[in-house]
Amino acid sequence: MKLHILCVGRLKEEAERAIVERYRQRFQQIGAPLGFGGVGVTELTESNARSAPERKAFEAAELRKKIPTDARIVALDEGGKAVGSAAFAEMLAKLRDDGARHLCFVVGGPDGLDQAFAAEAFLTLSLGRLTLPHGLARAILAEQLYRAASILAGHPYHRT
């Protein structure tokens, strides 16, 4: 199963980009033997429309263009379901075992995700109740993907 992180907005800080890349590479190393095809990161330009609803609708349309037709979508939103790392790992394993070919984690722009787009997701996931800057949200997601793979591999990185 190939994983994708689709983000509205571009990281400007090299330190944020380096953290995401470090965990992306770690996931690929430990995840490949587990049947995971790596993690791709796609950044989309934020809309410059005047209103938030217009920006979100435009960004949703651009996101849809990047999502493989057979992908499962996980929308990241502070109001989504909060899960622990072990449950997150189990979810990834179940999707893989059920034959999902693509899993897309979607991080919206500063205004969040379009409601209609988020409703298309099979899961809306929260990284916590706090509002996070997008660079930090990406880093947390990348780390949790690596942590999930380490849990599934029985690697000692995750300690309970």
Side-chain angles (χ1 to χ4, degrees):
M1 178 172 70
K2 173 80 172 148
L3 283 75
H4 309 266
I5 299 174
L6 304 173
C7 310
V8 175
R10 301 190 185 282
L11 290 183
K12 295 164 189 75
E13 297 292 327
E14 186 56 37
E16 293 171 335
R17 193 172 297 284
I19 292 169
V20 172
E21 182 61 18
R22 180 173 68 231
Y23 285 113
R24 191 188 69 76
Q25 288 179 359
R26 286 181 179 180
F27 175 87
Q28 287 181 197
Q29 290 172 346
I30 201 167
L34 299 171
F36 295 109
V39 179
V41 178
T42 302
E43 295 180 322
L44 291 93
T45 304
E46 294 174 30
S47 170
N48 58 4
R50 288 190 162 182
S51 72
E54 289 174 318
R55 286 190 295 272
K56 291 193 289 187
F58 175 83
E59 291 164 357
E62 294 301 303
L63 285 164
R64 284 185 186 97
K65 293 177 187 176
K66 301 293 182 183
I67 296 173
T69 56
D70 58 349
R72 295 291 197 103
I73 300 170
V74 176
L76 272 71
D77 183 85
E78 67 183 24
K81 181 179 180 179
V83 299
S85 296
F88 185 66
E90 288 176 26
M91 179 199 70
L92 290 179
K94 181 168 179 11
L95 287 167
R96 177 203 59 202
D97 295 347
D98 288 348
R101 294 187 54 221
H102 297 276
L103 180 60
C104 295
F105 294 90
V106 181
V107 181
D111 300 306
L113 289 170
D114 178 72
Q115 265 189 330
F117 177 86
E120 297 169 16
F122 94 97
L123 173 66
T124 301
L125 183 68
S126 172
L127 296 177
R129 298 282 307 159
L130 300 172
T131 300
L132 300 172
H134 284 71
L136 187 53
R138 288 185 217 183
I140 290 170
L141 176 59
E143 190 278 337
Q144 284 300 301
L145 290 170
Y146 169 66
R147 183 176 296 275
S150 72
I151 290 168
L152 295 173
H155 189 277
Y157 177 75
H158 178 73
R159 292 172 179 88
T160 55

